[in-house]
Amino acid sequence: MGTSHDPLPAGTGEHAPAVHLTVRTAELMRELGRRLAALLGPGDLVLLSGELGAGKTTLTRGLGEGLGVRGAVTSPTFVIARVHPSLTGGPALVHVDAYRLGGGLDEMEDLDLDVSLPESVVVVEWGEGKVEELSEARLQVVIARSPYEKDGGPDADDVREVTVTGVGPRWAAEDLSGLAV
């Protein structure tokens, strides 16, 4: 997994510098989720972006493993949200798929995420423009298929470019560079 760091443009508020990672396999995506879990605690909101099949749920599986939660983490597409209680006394993982929600925060309010957020880690796939108002701080994770994998080897389809950005006061001083291996 490779990495680079870019600060966000001036005037964008309190942010940790963005970390850019190249993730070469699905297992390394899960490992990234496990490392990310070590930074998260109750009240943290994580927004996951990326096209279908990019690896959002795979990353969330790793988060669940790292947080020590009960139950297999699977895509919540048809149930909208799944709650995975902690097996270790830590925060629960609330995994939301906002893909089919079009009404923004109004529909999200029906899920009572604002009630879950203070004591849970809330991960929202497809949440851009829908859940940012839930918290003044969030971790934004953008996953894209790598455009530059030139060797076309057997794992070329698994290579992803991941950008992790901490937004808001909670993340302003956090060093996200430890996410790279």
Side-chain angles (χ1 to χ4, degrees), residues 71-87:
V73 174
T74 59
S75 178
T77 299
F78 298 106
V79 294
I80 310 295
R82 292 186 197 274
V83 177
H84 298 275
S86 175
L87 295 171

